[in-house]
Amino acid sequence: MFTGIVEEVGRIITADRKGNSARLKIEAEKVLEDIKIGDSIAVNGICLTVTSFGKNYFTADVMHETLRRSSIGEAAAGMAANGRFGGHIVTGHIDGTGTICEVKSDEIAICYSMKAPEKIMHYIVEKGSVAVDGISLTVAKTTQTSFMVSVIPHTAQCTVLAHKKAGDTVNLENDCIGKYIEHFLNWEKEKTTESKITREFLFSNGF
């Protein structure tokens, strides 16, 4: 479990892709201070498990499902990668990807407009939370197909957002609280409507 506050920006040293899997070797510093094999580290919002580590790096295996749902399949040596995160509840389980369609300044703030699929926009609400490449951000505005976040210079410079531009792909994770609430409400609705036994059914069958 993460909270979307970035600790540091690392760098991908190697990205070895084999079939539908990959192994990443990531240069880092701060997240290595108390690291151990089996720990979870969020890299661009993707929860990865540490498989080995050294003085200034750690490695993680990436399975097919992760490559399919996120932008990690585009990873290459030298790319920036966010470290562990500590905003709102972020699981590191990516719901899908979006595309940055505009980056513009608004006095001290930097505004990022992003297009996202309907299944992701369904859970995005104005003034709600969303994780963009694992960074906990507040939604400033929404349309049917896009949303906008506004960040302060510190957030942009201390995360991979500093390197993002129009056309770039980002990993998106919806606020899990909204997903759970919807699931529970639908579950209760299904339970109350699943029975087909009515008074008329009982009468017609001799009860």
Side-chain angles (χ1 to χ4, degrees):
M1 190 69 71
F2 312 97
T3 56
I5 304 301
V6 177
E7 286 191 59
E8 69 173 309
V9 175
R11 183 178 66 88
I12 296 174
I13 301 173
T14 59
D16 297 326
R17 181 82 178 260
K18 293 183 178 179
N20 291 320
S21 303
R23 173 165 291 178
L24 301 181
K25 184 176 183 180
I26 300 172
E27 182 182 58
E29 183 177 342
K30 187 173 182 180
V31 298
L32 300 177
E33 292 175 358
D34 58 352
I35 198 173
K36 62 183 182 295
I37 292 176
D39 277 353
S40 294
I41 294 182
V43 177
N44 280 16
I46 305 162
C47 181
L48 299 179
T49 301
V50 176
T51 55
S52 68
F53 62 91
K55 184 178 179 180
N56 63 346
Y57 74 90
F58 70 92
T59 64
D61 293 328
V62 184
M63 60 185 175
H64 186 199
E65 175 71 2
T66 306
L67 290 175
R68 185 178 69 85
R69 282 186 176 266
S70 70
S71 66
I72 200 70
E74 302 170 9
M79 288 178 61
N82 286 356
R84 272 181 300 187
F85 300 85
H88 73 283
I89 298 172
V90 179
T91 64
H93 303 152
I94 303 302
D95 290 302
T97 59
T99 304
I100 295 176
C101 47
E102 184 181 33
V103 180
K104 65 179 182 180
S105 297
D106 180 12
E107 295 187 352
I108 67 166
I110 304 170
C111 299
Y112 295 83
S113 295
M114 307 180 191
K115 292 182 180 178
E118 182 181 356
K119 66 176 183 178
I120 290 178
M121 291 303 304
H122 176 69
Y123 297 103
I124 293 182
V125 296
E126 189 171 319
K127 302 306 178 185
S129 297
V130 63
V132 178
D133 276 350
I135 307 159
S136 176
L137 299 172
T138 301
V139 178
K141 183 180 179 181
T142 65
T143 70
Q144 287 190 328
T145 59
S146 67
F147 67 94
M148 184 184 77
V149 294
S150 180
V151 304
I152 60 174
H154 172 81
T155 302
Q157 293 303 318
C158 293
T159 67
V160 293
L161 287 177
H163 308 282
K164 297 295 183 180
K165 61 186 183 302
D168 285 351
T169 300
V170 291
N171 295 314
L172 300 174
E173 180 185 334
N174 290 119
D175 189 342
C176 65
I177 294 177
K179 291 187 286 186
Y180 275 118
I181 291 174
E182 181 182 62
H183 174 74
F184 291 144
L185 289 175
N186 288 337
W187 182 272
E188 290 300 319
K189 185 187 297 183
E190 289 172 5
K191 285 200 301 184
T192 58
T193 59
E194 64 183 8
S195 177
K196 300 187 184 307
I197 298 177
T198 64
R199 177 183 294 184
E200 290 73 19
F201 174 83
L202 293 174
F203 282 146
S204 65
N205 286 274
F207 292 96

